[in-house]
Amino acid sequence: MSSSTSYKEFYQQSIDQPDAFWREQAKLIDWHKPFEQTCDFSRPPFAKWFVGGETNLCYNAVDRHAAKRPNDKALIFISTETDTEQVYTFAELQREVERMAAIYQSLGVTKGDRVLIYMPMIAEACFAMLACARIGAIHSVVFGGFASGSLATRIDDAQPKLMVTADAGMRGGKAVPYKHLVDEACALAQTPPQKVLIVDRGLDKGFPKVAGRDVDYAELRAQHLDAQVPVTWLESSEPSYILYTSGTTGKPKGVQRDTGGYAVALASTMKHIYCGGEGETMFSTSDIGWVVGHSYIIYGPLLAGMATIMYEGTPLRPDAGIWWQIVEKYKVNVMFSAPTAARVLKKQDPAYMHKYDLSSLKHLFLAGEPLDQPTHEWIMGELKIPVIDNYWQTETGWPILSTVRGVEDTKLKFGSPSFPVYGYNLKIFREDGSVCDANEKGIVGIVPPLPPGCLSTVWGDDDRFVKTYFSLFTEPQVYSSFDWGIKDDEGYHFILGRTDDVINVAGHRLGTREIEEAVQGHSAIAEVAVVGVNDALKGQMPMAFAVVKDAARVATPELRQQLEKEVMAKVDESLGAIARPSRVHFVTGLPKTRSGKLLRRSLQALAEGRDAGDMTTIEDPSSLEQIKQALAG
Ligand code: ATP
Ligand code: MG
């Protein structure tokens, strides 16, 4: 892969000559009208990319490939829940998107209108997103796991003209109602949509219909089978979508994405980071409700002319080999998942992985939360391919820290997402605004302008955009990631946790991530969460909740005590006694959102005897019960 340019040079050019650099990247997409200016940063911190240029995301993701390679695979829909597999070529995908776009138009949706998509992982969800892009409507995809209250908040913020949903999704063999929740949310919302378009999968027979508001997708599709809907060209900075952040740390923010910058950024990452192109297949195990789903299930792979897999199901059904079976069957070249999924698989028999021919697979990318060293080492050892840690955020839409293998095959370090990605003028800052030395912990910040594709603002709230992200120090104006990080002597970066995940023990500031890494250093531990708990004497004390690999290790109170001592000793050894958890509770699962993010706030609340808070997206509610019992015991 390595060419004559080193990554260092490539990166430096992106920072020193952004104009020339991004002009070159902009060639990766088709422009209806060329842009006049690469970046307009006359109103910092707001940046506009490829000013005056006109393009369209759907055209670049679908039409241009359909014109050249109509019969190549574009979308592969697999549901192990309903036992369905359906492959759409680029020509077929374009036809379906045009039908959906015609339906939208028949319902009065035009450029700039919002369409809220609340759907399971089915092909129609992909059509629904691309149809918005085609006609310049702004989609707001809300993760199907959110309950009606959270959905209502997002309805009121985005004020959609139309909502698209399905009767139900399926998870672990059980139907999960969607339409029903939409009805509830519409009743709660101040500004409910005029129309609700329903894909009836026949999973929730007899769901109630609201006359005059609810319309049936199959019925309308039949009326628009031959629809031809030309693309609406958008000025580069016109919005493509709104996506709310996960809400791990409070009220979710509506990230507003542009059109041209996003298209260029994604196309460039497909080339340089994910190394995927025409005729190849990408499998991202995320959900369209998250940013990874937007960027690397839908837009990224399709922009690059790859086939993309949409998978409805869990990693463990019918058995822990299902992902690898899919890799073999569809000759997947690039795979993208989350560290939490890797940890789930680590608890299974590796034979499931080795049963299949995985020789098509070039890389596995993991993102969304810290990838601990033991898991990183384990999965790379099993797969025998590079496993690449990506650090990024809903806000940025694409990786901030990564190995950029399309430019240079730099060495990987376990536990590190490597280097700042081109375009990001990233530095680690002290709290006074000065820049940290190597090996000194600080806040990960980005000197604006943010590169193309990052959030242009917070939907409907420019003020909140500036106040939330750019108010770390008065001088210089820097984008704050709200994450702690460190850069080592060789320029490798490590993320040490969120700035609000710091524990203050008797005046010592400790990152929860560091303590978690130390606990994980004990070979019996599969997974751990550390939170700070109020302590009358020391301010706060770390408390650990750990999942063991082998339940036999904690089968009796004596064994539990023994292991707890060993874990504490491990922390003493790597960080010092100051970081030693006051208690190590052993549980069989940790409370997480369905996107795999640890609900640390809730753990902390429970440990401090408070209410766990909003739990609507929790993956496994029984994990909370266990925590309560462990704390009581
Ligand atoms: P909210 O901002 O609403 O509280 P969130 O931050 O969880 O929610 P996301 O944008 O989905 O929402 O997550 C981004 C965050 O996830 C990062 O800021 C970082 O804390 C964490 N993260 C993502 N990737 C990595 C990684 N590779 N290593 C460590 N942490 C990561
Ligand atoms: Mg965040």
Side-chain angles (χ1 to χ4, degrees), residues 245-253 291 366-371 389-395 417 481-483 495 497-498 513 597:
T245 59
S246 307
T248 309
T249 51
K251 186 172 170 246
K253 302 162 281 272
V291 69
L366 298 175
E369 23 141 22
L371 175 60
D389 184 4
N390 273 197
Y391 162 77
W392 46 297
Q393 307 181 307
T394 307
E395 288 85 345
S481 67
F482 299 102
D483 289 312
I495 297 297
R498 296 169 187 254
R513 164 96 196 262
K597 287 181 191 295

PDB file of all heavy atoms in Angstrom, residues 245-253 291 366-371 389-395 417 481-483 495 497-498 513 597, ligand 1:
ATOM      1  N   THR A 245     -26.422  13.521  18.722  1.00  0.00           N
ATOM      2  CA  THR A 245     -25.338  12.771  19.373  1.00  0.00           C
ATOM      3  C   THR A 245     -25.968  11.740  20.308  1.00  0.00           C
ATOM      4  O   THR A 245     -27.146  11.840  20.653  1.00  0.00           O
ATOM      5  CB  THR A 245     -24.407  13.694  20.178  1.00  0.00           C
ATOM      6  OG1 THR A 245     -25.179  14.366  21.170  1.00  0.00           O
ATOM      7  CG2 THR A 245     -23.724  14.714  19.277  1.00  0.00           C
ATOM      8  N   SER A 246     -25.165  10.782  20.725  1.00  0.00           N
ATOM      9  CA  SER A 246     -25.700   9.653  21.495  1.00  0.00           C
ATOM     10  C   SER A 246     -26.355  10.053  22.811  1.00  0.00           C
ATOM     11  O   SER A 246     -27.125   9.300  23.378  1.00  0.00           O
ATOM     12  CB  SER A 246     -24.580   8.665  21.798  1.00  0.00           C
ATOM     13  OG  SER A 246     -23.930   8.311  20.621  1.00  0.00           O
ATOM     14  N   GLY A 247     -26.007  11.213  23.321  1.00  0.00           N
ATOM     15  CA  GLY A 247     -26.600  11.640  24.578  1.00  0.00           C
ATOM     16  C   GLY A 247     -25.978  10.971  25.783  1.00  0.00           C
ATOM     17  O   GLY A 247     -26.579  10.902  26.856  1.00  0.00           O
ATOM     18  N   THR A 248     -24.741  10.490  25.622  1.00  0.00           N
ATOM     19  CA  THR A 248     -24.049   9.847  26.731  1.00  0.00           C
ATOM     20  C   THR A 248     -23.851  10.831  27.874  1.00  0.00           C
ATOM     21  O   THR A 248     -23.862  10.468  29.035  1.00  0.00           O
ATOM     22  CB  THR A 248     -22.678   9.319  26.254  1.00  0.00           C
ATOM     23  OG1 THR A 248     -22.892   8.546  25.079  1.00  0.00           O
ATOM     24  CG2 THR A 248     -22.011   8.454  27.303  1.00  0.00           C
ATOM     25  N   THR A 249     -23.647  12.096  27.534  1.00  0.00           N
ATOM     26  CA  THR A 249     -23.327  13.070  28.570  1.00  0.00           C
ATOM     27  C   THR A 249     -24.365  14.184  28.693  1.00  0.00           C
ATOM     28  O   THR A 249     -24.044  15.295  29.071  1.00  0.00           O
ATOM     29  CB  THR A 249     -21.960  13.719  28.277  1.00  0.00           C
ATOM     30  OG1 THR A 249     -21.973  14.184  26.922  1.00  0.00           O
ATOM     31  CG2 THR A 249     -20.843  12.736  28.456  1.00  0.00           C
ATOM     32  N   GLY A 250     -25.608  13.916  28.353  1.00  0.00           N
ATOM     33  CA  GLY A 250     -26.611  14.944  28.573  1.00  0.00           C
ATOM     34  C   GLY A 250     -27.526  15.125  27.394  1.00  0.00           C
ATOM     35  O   GLY A 250     -27.700  14.221  26.603  1.00  0.00           O
ATOM     36  N   LYS A 251     -28.098  16.320  27.280  1.00  0.00           N
ATOM     37  CA  LYS A 251     -29.074  16.589  26.236  1.00  0.00           C
ATOM     38  C   LYS A 251     -28.436  16.434  24.851  1.00  0.00           C
ATOM     39  O   LYS A 251     -27.424  17.051  24.566  1.00  0.00           O
ATOM     40  CB  LYS A 251     -29.609  18.019  26.407  1.00  0.00           C
ATOM     41  CG  LYS A 251     -30.740  18.361  25.463  1.00  0.00           C
ATOM     42  CD  LYS A 251     -31.368  19.718  25.804  1.00  0.00           C
ATOM     43  CE  LYS A 251     -32.317  20.143  24.705  1.00  0.00           C
ATOM     44  NZ  LYS A 251     -31.894  21.331  23.964  1.00  0.00           N
ATOM     45  N   PRO A 252     -29.012  15.595  23.993  1.00  0.00           N
ATOM     46  CA  PRO A 252     -28.387  15.377  22.685  1.00  0.00           C
ATOM     47  C   PRO A 252     -28.376  16.643  21.834  1.00  0.00           C
ATOM     48  O   PRO A 252     -29.276  17.476  21.923  1.00  0.00           O
ATOM     49  CB  PRO A 252     -29.264  14.303  22.041  1.00  0.00           C
ATOM     50  CG  PRO A 252     -30.538  14.316  22.793  1.00  0.00           C
ATOM     51  CD  PRO A 252     -30.232  14.796  24.178  1.00  0.00           C
ATOM     52  N   LYS A 253     -27.312  16.762  21.049  1.00  0.00           N
ATOM     53  CA  LYS A 253     -27.149  17.932  20.200  1.00  0.00           C
ATOM     54  C   LYS A 253     -27.428  17.537  18.751  1.00  0.00           C
ATOM     55  O   LYS A 253     -26.950  16.498  18.298  1.00  0.00           O
ATOM     56  CB  LYS A 253     -25.706  18.450  20.342  1.00  0.00           C
ATOM     57  CG  LYS A 253     -25.345  18.798  21.780  1.00  0.00           C
ATOM     58  CD  LYS A 253     -23.836  18.883  22.037  1.00  0.00           C
ATOM     59  CE  LYS A 253     -23.141  17.558  22.214  1.00  0.00           C
ATOM     60  NZ  LYS A 253     -23.112  17.014  23.583  1.00  0.00           N
ATOM     61  N   VAL A 291     -23.886   7.488  13.832  1.00  0.00           N
ATOM     62  CA  VAL A 291     -23.080   8.151  12.802  1.00  0.00           C
ATOM     63  C   VAL A 291     -22.321   7.137  11.941  1.00  0.00           C
ATOM     64  O   VAL A 291     -22.167   7.326  10.737  1.00  0.00           O
ATOM     65  CB  VAL A 291     -22.140   9.211  13.430  1.00  0.00           C
ATOM     66  CG1 VAL A 291     -21.040   8.566  14.260  1.00  0.00           C
ATOM     67  CG2 VAL A 291     -21.554  10.106  12.353  1.00  0.00           C
ATOM     68  N   LEU A 366     -12.391  -0.643  14.201  1.00  0.00           N
ATOM     69  CA  LEU A 366     -13.229  -0.606  15.397  1.00  0.00           C
ATOM     70  C   LEU A 366     -13.270   0.833  15.887  1.00  0.00           C
ATOM     71  O   LEU A 366     -12.237   1.503  15.925  1.00  0.00           O
ATOM     72  CB  LEU A 366     -12.653  -1.519  16.482  1.00  0.00           C
ATOM     73  CG  LEU A 366     -12.572  -3.014  16.140  1.00  0.00           C
ATOM     74  CD1 LEU A 366     -11.863  -3.778  17.258  1.00  0.00           C
ATOM     75  CD2 LEU A 366     -13.952  -3.618  15.892  1.00  0.00           C
ATOM     76  N   ALA A 367     -14.465   1.292  16.256  1.00  0.00           N
ATOM     77  CA  ALA A 367     -14.591   2.670  16.729  1.00  0.00           C
ATOM     78  C   ALA A 367     -15.764   2.811  17.677  1.00  0.00           C
ATOM     79  O   ALA A 367     -16.630   1.945  17.730  1.00  0.00           O
ATOM     80  CB  ALA A 367     -14.789   3.619  15.548  1.00  0.00           C
ATOM     81  N   GLY A 368     -15.784   3.923  18.394  1.00  0.00           N
ATOM     82  CA  GLY A 368     -16.933   4.259  19.222  1.00  0.00           C
ATOM     83  C   GLY A 368     -16.622   4.348  20.695  1.00  0.00           C
ATOM     84  O   GLY A 368     -17.301   5.030  21.443  1.00  0.00           O
ATOM     85  N   GLU A 369     -15.603   3.639  21.139  1.00  0.00           N
ATOM     86  CA  GLU A 369     -15.196   3.685  22.539  1.00  0.00           C
ATOM     87  C   GLU A 369     -13.783   3.139  22.615  1.00  0.00           C
ATOM     88  O   GLU A 369     -13.272   2.615  21.635  1.00  0.00           O
ATOM     89  CB  GLU A 369     -16.147   2.888  23.431  1.00  0.00           C
ATOM     90  CG  GLU A 369     -16.917   1.835  22.698  1.00  0.00           C
ATOM     91  CD  GLU A 369     -17.091   0.552  23.470  1.00  0.00           C
ATOM     92  OE1 GLU A 369     -16.993   0.552  24.685  1.00  0.00           O
ATOM     93  OE2 GLU A 369     -17.291  -0.466  22.798  1.00  0.00           O
ATOM     94  N   PRO A 370     -13.166   3.263  23.773  1.00  0.00           N
ATOM     95  CA  PRO A 370     -11.774   2.815  23.854  1.00  0.00           C
ATOM     96  C   PRO A 370     -11.628   1.331  23.513  1.00  0.00           C
ATOM     97  O   PRO A 370     -12.423   0.502  23.946  1.00  0.00           O
ATOM     98  CB  PRO A 370     -11.413   3.066  25.325  1.00  0.00           C
ATOM     99  CG  PRO A 370     -12.358   4.110  25.786  1.00  0.00           C
ATOM    100  CD  PRO A 370     -13.629   3.887  25.024  1.00  0.00           C
ATOM    101  N   LEU A 371     -10.626   1.033  22.710  1.00  0.00           N
ATOM    102  CA  LEU A 371     -10.299  -0.348  22.390  1.00  0.00           C
ATOM    103  C   LEU A 371      -9.138  -0.731  23.307  1.00  0.00           C
ATOM    104  O   LEU A 371      -8.017  -0.277  23.113  1.00  0.00           O
ATOM    105  CB  LEU A 371      -9.887  -0.465  20.919  1.00  0.00           C
ATOM    106  CG  LEU A 371      -9.390  -1.838  20.464  1.00  0.00           C
ATOM    107  CD1 LEU A 371     -10.460  -2.902  20.652  1.00  0.00           C
ATOM    108  CD2 LEU A 371      -8.962  -1.791  19.001  1.00  0.00           C
ATOM    109  N   ASP A 389      -7.953   0.836  15.152  1.00  0.00           N
ATOM    110  CA  ASP A 389      -8.736   1.623  16.082  1.00  0.00           C
ATOM    111  C   ASP A 389      -8.955   3.000  15.473  1.00  0.00           C
ATOM    112  O   ASP A 389      -8.008   3.651  15.030  1.00  0.00           O
ATOM    113  CB  ASP A 389      -7.943   1.722  17.402  1.00  0.00           C
ATOM    114  CG  ASP A 389      -8.697   2.433  18.506  1.00  0.00           C
ATOM    115  OD1 ASP A 389      -9.868   2.795  18.284  1.00  0.00           O
ATOM    116  OD2 ASP A 389      -8.121   2.617  19.590  1.00  0.00           O
ATOM    117  N   ASN A 390     -10.211   3.417  15.420  1.00  0.00           N
ATOM    118  CA  ASN A 390     -10.598   4.731  14.899  1.00  0.00           C
ATOM    119  C   ASN A 390     -11.179   5.540  16.033  1.00  0.00           C
ATOM    120  O   ASN A 390     -12.078   5.054  16.713  1.00  0.00           O
ATOM    121  CB  ASN A 390     -11.780   4.593  13.940  1.00  0.00           C
ATOM    122  CG  ASN A 390     -11.398   4.317  12.515  1.00  0.00           C
ATOM    123  OD1 ASN A 390     -12.223   4.491  11.635  1.00  0.00           O
ATOM    124  ND2 ASN A 390     -10.193   3.885  12.279  1.00  0.00           N
ATOM    125  N   TYR A 391     -10.735   6.760  16.174  1.00  0.00           N
ATOM    126  CA  TYR A 391     -11.358   7.638  17.166  1.00  0.00           C
ATOM    127  C   TYR A 391     -12.081   8.756  16.439  1.00  0.00           C
ATOM    128  O   TYR A 391     -11.477   9.462  15.630  1.00  0.00           O
ATOM    129  CB  TYR A 391     -10.289   8.209  18.106  1.00  0.00           C
ATOM    130  CG  TYR A 391     -10.738   9.429  18.868  1.00  0.00           C
ATOM    131  CD1 TYR A 391     -11.590   9.311  19.964  1.00  0.00           C
ATOM    132  CD2 TYR A 391     -10.329  10.704  18.480  1.00  0.00           C
ATOM    133  CE1 TYR A 391     -12.014  10.434  20.652  1.00  0.00           C
ATOM    134  CE2 TYR A 391     -10.746  11.828  19.168  1.00  0.00           C
ATOM    135  CZ  TYR A 391     -11.583  11.683  20.254  1.00  0.00           C
ATOM    136  OH  TYR A 391     -12.011  12.793  20.928  1.00  0.00           O
ATOM    137  N   TRP A 392     -13.355   8.884  16.688  1.00  0.00           N
ATOM    138  CA  TRP A 392     -14.104  10.012  16.118  1.00  0.00           C
ATOM    139  C   TRP A 392     -15.399  10.235  16.867  1.00  0.00           C
ATOM    140  O   TRP A 392     -15.640   9.606  17.895  1.00  0.00           O
ATOM    141  CB  TRP A 392     -14.316   9.901  14.623  1.00  0.00           C
ATOM    142  CG  TRP A 392     -14.786   8.593  14.031  1.00  0.00           C
ATOM    143  CD1 TRP A 392     -14.131   7.399  14.059  1.00  0.00           C
ATOM    144  CD2 TRP A 392     -15.976   8.368  13.266  1.00  0.00           C
ATOM    145  NE1 TRP A 392     -14.852   6.460  13.353  1.00  0.00           N
ATOM    146  CE2 TRP A 392     -15.975   7.027  12.851  1.00  0.00           C
ATOM    147  CE3 TRP A 392     -17.047   9.184  12.860  1.00  0.00           C
ATOM    148  CZ2 TRP A 392     -17.015   6.465  12.082  1.00  0.00           C
ATOM    149  CZ3 TRP A 392     -18.063   8.640  12.089  1.00  0.00           C
ATOM    150  CH2 TRP A 392     -18.042   7.293  11.699  1.00  0.00           C
ATOM    151  N   GLN A 393     -16.218  11.156  16.358  1.00  0.00           N
ATOM    152  CA  GLN A 393     -17.435  11.565  17.063  1.00  0.00           C
ATOM    153  C   GLN A 393     -18.555  11.809  16.053  1.00  0.00           C
ATOM    154  O   GLN A 393     -18.290  12.067  14.881  1.00  0.00           O
ATOM    155  CB  GLN A 393     -17.193  12.893  17.796  1.00  0.00           C
ATOM    156  CG  GLN A 393     -15.991  12.883  18.702  1.00  0.00           C
ATOM    157  CD  GLN A 393     -15.801  14.215  19.417  1.00  0.00           C
ATOM    158  OE1 GLN A 393     -15.754  15.262  18.776  1.00  0.00           O
ATOM    159  NE2 GLN A 393     -15.715  14.173  20.736  1.00  0.00           N
ATOM    160  N   THR A 394     -19.777  11.761  16.556  1.00  0.00           N
ATOM    161  CA  THR A 394     -20.926  12.100  15.713  1.00  0.00           C
ATOM    162  C   THR A 394     -20.659  13.449  15.039  1.00  0.00           C
ATOM    163  O   THR A 394     -20.953  13.634  13.858  1.00  0.00           O
ATOM    164  CB  THR A 394     -22.202  12.212  16.578  1.00  0.00           C
ATOM    165  OG1 THR A 394     -22.327  11.019  17.336  1.00  0.00           O
ATOM    166  CG2 THR A 394     -23.437  12.410  15.726  1.00  0.00           C
ATOM    167  N   GLU A 395     -20.093  14.360  15.810  1.00  0.00           N
ATOM    168  CA  GLU A 395     -19.860  15.714  15.327  1.00  0.00           C
ATOM    169  C   GLU A 395     -18.973  15.730  14.079  1.00  0.00           C
ATOM    170  O   GLU A 395     -19.184  16.517  13.165  1.00  0.00           O
ATOM    171  CB  GLU A 395     -19.182  16.558  16.415  1.00  0.00           C
ATOM    172  CG  GLU A 395     -20.089  16.940  17.587  1.00  0.00           C
ATOM    173  CD  GLU A 395     -20.166  15.859  18.669  1.00  0.00           C
ATOM    174  OE1 GLU A 395     -19.767  14.708  18.413  1.00  0.00           O
ATOM    175  OE2 GLU A 395     -20.641  16.184  19.779  1.00  0.00           O
ATOM    176  N   PRO A 417      -5.250   4.702  18.794  1.00  0.00           N
ATOM    177  CA  PRO A 417      -5.785   4.913  17.439  1.00  0.00           C
ATOM    178  C   PRO A 417      -4.790   5.667  16.542  1.00  0.00           C
ATOM    179  O   PRO A 417      -5.190   6.256  15.535  1.00  0.00           O
ATOM    180  CB  PRO A 417      -7.066   5.705  17.676  1.00  0.00           C
ATOM    181  CG  PRO A 417      -7.041   6.171  19.074  1.00  0.00           C
ATOM    182  CD  PRO A 417      -5.854   5.610  19.784  1.00  0.00           C
ATOM    183  N   SER A 481     -13.074  18.297  22.114  1.00  0.00           N
ATOM    184  CA  SER A 481     -13.652  16.973  21.897  1.00  0.00           C
ATOM    185  C   SER A 481     -14.302  16.453  23.172  1.00  0.00           C
ATOM    186  O   SER A 481     -15.009  15.466  23.151  1.00  0.00           O
ATOM    187  CB  SER A 481     -12.543  16.000  21.496  1.00  0.00           C
ATOM    188  OG  SER A 481     -11.680  15.828  22.609  1.00  0.00           O
ATOM    189  N   PHE A 482     -13.999  17.100  24.282  1.00  0.00           N
ATOM    190  CA  PHE A 482     -14.430  16.631  25.607  1.00  0.00           C
ATOM    191  C   PHE A 482     -13.824  15.277  25.961  1.00  0.00           C
ATOM    192  O   PHE A 482     -14.381  14.517  26.741  1.00  0.00           O
ATOM    193  CB  PHE A 482     -15.956  16.593  25.728  1.00  0.00           C
ATOM    194  CG  PHE A 482     -16.585  17.943  25.559  1.00  0.00           C
ATOM    195  CD1 PHE A 482     -17.191  18.295  24.369  1.00  0.00           C
ATOM    196  CD2 PHE A 482     -16.535  18.868  26.590  1.00  0.00           C
ATOM    197  CE1 PHE A 482     -17.740  19.558  24.197  1.00  0.00           C
ATOM    198  CE2 PHE A 482     -17.081  20.123  26.433  1.00  0.00           C
ATOM    199  CZ  PHE A 482     -17.696  20.472  25.242  1.00  0.00           C
ATOM    200  N   ASP A 483     -12.679  14.967  25.339  1.00  0.00           N
ATOM    201  CA  ASP A 483     -11.964  13.742  25.685  1.00  0.00           C
ATOM    202  C   ASP A 483     -10.551  14.080  26.133  1.00  0.00           C
ATOM    203  O   ASP A 483      -9.935  15.021  25.617  1.00  0.00           O
ATOM    204  CB  ASP A 483     -11.881  12.803  24.464  1.00  0.00           C
ATOM    205  CG  ASP A 483     -13.221  12.188  24.118  1.00  0.00           C
ATOM    206  OD1 ASP A 483     -13.893  11.674  25.029  1.00  0.00           O
ATOM    207  OD2 ASP A 483     -13.608  12.236  22.933  1.00  0.00           O
ATOM    208  N   ILE A 495      -6.468   7.847  23.796  1.00  0.00           N
ATOM    209  CA  ILE A 495      -7.621   8.536  24.377  1.00  0.00           C
ATOM    210  C   ILE A 495      -7.801   7.989  25.794  1.00  0.00           C
ATOM    211  O   ILE A 495      -7.873   6.775  25.996  1.00  0.00           O
ATOM    212  CB  ILE A 495      -8.888   8.288  23.538  1.00  0.00           C
ATOM    213  CG1 ILE A 495      -8.705   8.866  22.122  1.00  0.00           C
ATOM    214  CG2 ILE A 495     -10.125   8.895  24.195  1.00  0.00           C
ATOM    215  CD1 ILE A 495      -8.507  10.368  22.067  1.00  0.00           C
ATOM    216  N   GLY A 497     -10.265   8.891  28.039  1.00  0.00           N
ATOM    217  CA  GLY A 497     -11.598   8.995  28.625  1.00  0.00           C
ATOM    218  C   GLY A 497     -12.165  10.386  28.424  1.00  0.00           C
ATOM    219  O   GLY A 497     -11.502  11.275  27.896  1.00  0.00           O
ATOM    220  N   ARG A 498     -13.385  10.555  28.843  1.00  0.00           N
ATOM    221  CA  ARG A 498     -14.061  11.831  28.638  1.00  0.00           C
ATOM    222  C   ARG A 498     -13.703  12.810  29.735  1.00  0.00           C
ATOM    223  O   ARG A 498     -13.432  12.399  30.858  1.00  0.00           O
ATOM    224  CB  ARG A 498     -15.571  11.600  28.642  1.00  0.00           C
ATOM    225  CG  ARG A 498     -16.012  10.725  27.495  1.00  0.00           C
ATOM    226  CD  ARG A 498     -17.441  10.311  27.709  1.00  0.00           C
ATOM    227  NE  ARG A 498     -17.814   9.337  26.708  1.00  0.00           N
ATOM    228  CZ  ARG A 498     -18.612   9.609  25.670  1.00  0.00           C
ATOM    229  NH1 ARG A 498     -19.146  10.803  25.547  1.00  0.00           N
ATOM    230  NH2 ARG A 498     -18.901   8.680  24.801  1.00  0.00           N
ATOM    231  N   ARG A 513     -10.628   5.676  32.361  1.00  0.00           N
ATOM    232  CA  ARG A 513     -10.065   4.776  31.343  1.00  0.00           C
ATOM    233  C   ARG A 513      -8.756   4.143  31.815  1.00  0.00           C
ATOM    234  O   ARG A 513      -8.506   2.964  31.611  1.00  0.00           O
ATOM    235  CB  ARG A 513      -9.849   5.547  30.033  1.00  0.00           C
ATOM    236  CG  ARG A 513      -8.945   4.875  29.022  1.00  0.00           C
ATOM    237  CD  ARG A 513      -9.717   4.104  27.983  1.00  0.00           C
ATOM    238  NE  ARG A 513      -8.897   3.164  27.224  1.00  0.00           N
ATOM    239  CZ  ARG A 513      -8.372   3.393  26.028  1.00  0.00           C
ATOM    240  NH1 ARG A 513      -8.563   4.550  25.440  1.00  0.00           N
ATOM    241  NH2 ARG A 513      -7.669   2.468  25.406  1.00  0.00           N
ATOM    242  N   LYS A 597     -22.179   1.837  24.065  1.00  0.00           N
ATOM    243  CA  LYS A 597     -21.537   2.785  24.968  1.00  0.00           C
ATOM    244  C   LYS A 597     -21.950   2.517  26.396  1.00  0.00           C
ATOM    245  O   LYS A 597     -23.124   2.368  26.705  1.00  0.00           O
ATOM    246  CB  LYS A 597     -21.889   4.205  24.585  1.00  0.00           C
ATOM    247  CG  LYS A 597     -21.183   4.624  23.328  1.00  0.00           C
ATOM    248  CD  LYS A 597     -21.527   6.047  22.992  1.00  0.00           C
ATOM    249  CE  LYS A 597     -21.045   6.387  21.605  1.00  0.00           C
ATOM    250  NZ  LYS A 597     -19.585   6.344  21.495  1.00  0.00           N
TER     251      LYS A 597
HETATM  252  P1  ATP B   1     -22.857  12.826  23.723  1.00  0.00           P
HETATM  253  O1  ATP B   1     -21.874  13.705  23.033  1.00  0.00           O
HETATM  254  O2  ATP B   1     -24.279  13.145  23.371  1.00  0.00           O
HETATM  255  O3  ATP B   1     -22.630  12.704  25.198  1.00  0.00           O
HETATM  256  P2  ATP B   1     -21.359  10.533  22.716  1.00  0.00           P
HETATM  257  O4  ATP B   1     -20.158  11.402  22.885  1.00  0.00           O
HETATM  258  O5  ATP B   1     -21.352   9.198  23.363  1.00  0.00           O
HETATM  259  O6  ATP B   1     -22.678  11.310  23.165  1.00  0.00           O
HETATM  260  P3  ATP B   1     -20.704   9.840  19.993  1.00  0.00           P
HETATM  261  O7  ATP B   1     -20.454  10.982  19.116  1.00  0.00           O
HETATM  262  O8  ATP B   1     -21.395   8.659  19.415  1.00  0.00           O
HETATM  263  O9  ATP B   1     -21.629  10.322  21.168  1.00  0.00           O
HETATM  264  O10 ATP B   1     -19.364   9.288  20.612  1.00  0.00           O
HETATM  265  C1  ATP B   1     -18.121   9.938  20.492  1.00  0.00           C
HETATM  266  C2  ATP B   1     -17.271   9.664  21.719  1.00  0.00           C
HETATM  267  O11 ATP B   1     -17.009   8.244  21.844  1.00  0.00           O
HETATM  268  C3  ATP B   1     -15.907  10.281  21.684  1.00  0.00           C
HETATM  269  O12 ATP B   1     -15.929  11.643  22.069  1.00  0.00           O
HETATM  270  C4  ATP B   1     -15.136   9.395  22.651  1.00  0.00           C
HETATM  271  O13 ATP B   1     -15.416   9.734  23.992  1.00  0.00           O
HETATM  272  C5  ATP B   1     -15.706   8.023  22.370  1.00  0.00           C
HETATM  273  N1  ATP B   1     -14.879   7.308  21.365  1.00  0.00           N
HETATM  274  C6  ATP B   1     -15.170   7.104  20.063  1.00  0.00           C
HETATM  275  N2  ATP B   1     -14.234   6.372  19.447  1.00  0.00           N
HETATM  276  C7  ATP B   1     -13.278   6.117  20.366  1.00  0.00           C
HETATM  277  C8  ATP B   1     -12.026   5.409  20.338  1.00  0.00           C
HETATM  278  N3  ATP B   1     -11.572   4.803  19.253  1.00  0.00           N
HETATM  279  N4  ATP B   1     -11.300   5.376  21.487  1.00  0.00           N
HETATM  280  C9  ATP B   1     -11.740   5.980  22.603  1.00  0.00           C
HETATM  281  N5  ATP B   1     -12.911   6.650  22.694  1.00  0.00           N
HETATM  282  C10 ATP B   1     -13.676   6.723  21.591  1.00  0.00           C
END
